Amino acid sequence: MSVDIGSETYKIDADFRTIMNVEGIIFGKKVTDDQKKFAAEMMKEIDIEEKDAIQNAKYYDALKLFYKDNVPDDLEEAMEKMLWFYSCGKEDKQSKTKTKKKVISFEYDFDYINAGFMQDYKIDLFEVDFLHWWKFMSLFSALHDDCKICEIIGYRGAELKNFDKEQRKRIREMQKIYALPDEISKEEKKRQDEITQILLNGGDLSGIL
């Protein structure tokens, strides 16, 4: 599959696993050492906030995955096309007006998701060679309510005010059981901050990496 950017056509990796990784890079809290270095170099060259430099580094890594290491020169349009593809060609108007509670992590919940696909479609996601992201999302959105992953999502997204006392107690218990883990520990965040400061001050990373 490919997309047009300017007058050029670029091949993309449309497989669901790749787009899951793209999502993890862009929206996840983890920051790699290479992204830290990339951000530090960017901050030396242009006037940019650290958080924005890090986000740019993450976006560039995502672009490399999506465009199979042939990243277009027009980074802005390349990014727009990648996000358009990620959203299955649809504009999520609700996300612009209301912050949504995170109820799914494709990486953390993958076993539950695969179980749902096996239950409803007899598809083993571990064995498929290729599954287009849009088809994956179409199938995922149509999983039956009795699938475990749908039950888990329901607990995570439940608004407690809509339930009585006993129901709220049960839902809180389930939310604790199925809570999404922090994607980065406090210790790792501290280490990454130390790396950034060392890079900005031209120091030696050998003692921390």
Side-chain angles (χ1 to χ4, degrees):
M1 186 172 177
S2 61
V3 295
D4 292 330
I5 296 179
S7 59
E8 300 291 331
T9 298
Y10 292 86
K11 290 183 178 181
I12 63 172
D13 190 339
D15 186 56
F16 77 102
R17 283 159 290 219
T18 298
I19 309 305
M20 283 183 180
N21 288 333
V22 164
E23 182 194 59
I25 292 171
I26 294 176
F27 301 110
K29 295 180 180 179
K30 295 178 182 177
V31 181
T32 67
D33 292 339
D34 285 342
Q35 289 165 356
K36 286 279 187 177
K37 293 176 184 177
F38 186 100
E41 291 300 319
M42 184 184 301
M43 292 169 68
K44 291 178 183 177
E45 295 178 5
I46 62 175
D47 183 16
I48 186 173
E49 295 283 340
E50 179 184 356
K51 62 181 180 64
D52 294 328
I54 289 175
Q55 192 61 49
N56 284 343
K58 295 173 73 173
Y59 272 127
Y60 193 73
D61 279 352
L63 288 171
K64 287 190 292 185
L65 274 183
F66 185 66
Y67 290 102
K68 301 182 178 182
D69 285 326
N70 183 28
V71 179
D73 292 333
D74 189 339
L75 295 179
E76 183 175 353
E77 187 173 357
M79 182 68 62
E80 289 176 357
K81 285 291 175 67
M82 182 176 70
L83 295 177
W84 167 82
F85 186 86
Y86 166 73
S87 65
C88 300
K90 303 172 184 177
E91 183 179 359
D92 189 353
K93 296 179 180 179
Q94 183 179 2
S95 65
K96 293 183 178 181
T97 59
K98 183 179 180 180
T99 300
K100 296 179 181 178
K101 183 188 299 184
K102 185 173 182 180
V103 295
I104 183 73
S105 165
F106 286 117
E107 179 181 5
Y108 183 72
D109 296 321
F110 191 78
D111 287 342
Y112 290 122
I113 295 170
N114 188 52
F117 271 64
M118 290 283 289
Q119 177 179 324
D120 280 4
Y121 311 121
K122 304 299 185 289
I123 295 175
D124 188 340
L125 295 174
F126 287 103
E127 294 184 355
V128 295
D129 292 328
F130 176 86
L131 180 60
H132 193 287
W133 171 247
W134 293 9
K135 183 175 182 179
F136 166 81
M137 287 301 293
S138 177
L139 294 171
F140 177 68
S141 65
L143 287 172
H144 289 108
D145 291 341
D146 62 349
C147 287
K148 189 65 177 180
I149 186 61
C150 294
E151 177 187 343
I152 292 171
I153 290 173
Y155 282 129
R156 289 175 181 162
E159 293 290 344
L160 295 178
K161 64 182 180 180
N162 297 328
F163 300 90
D164 62 34
K165 184 177 179 180
E166 287 301 313
Q167 289 174 322
R168 287 199 296 270
K169 181 180 178 181
R170 169 66 175 172
I171 291 171
R172 286 194 186 97
E173 291 174 352
M174 292 299 100
Q175 286 179 337
K176 288 181 180 179
I177 291 173
Y178 296 118
L180 290 169
D182 291 333
E183 296 180 9
I184 183 171
S185 66
K186 292 181 179 179
E187 291 77 13
E188 177 63 13
K189 177 65 167 62
K190 181 180 178 181
R191 188 180 79 94
Q192 291 179 355
D193 289 342
E194 289 175 355
I195 290 173
T196 298
Q197 292 305 314
I198 291 172
L199 288 170
L200 291 175
N201 293 312
D204 183 7
L205 290 173
S206 59
I208 191 171
L209 292 180

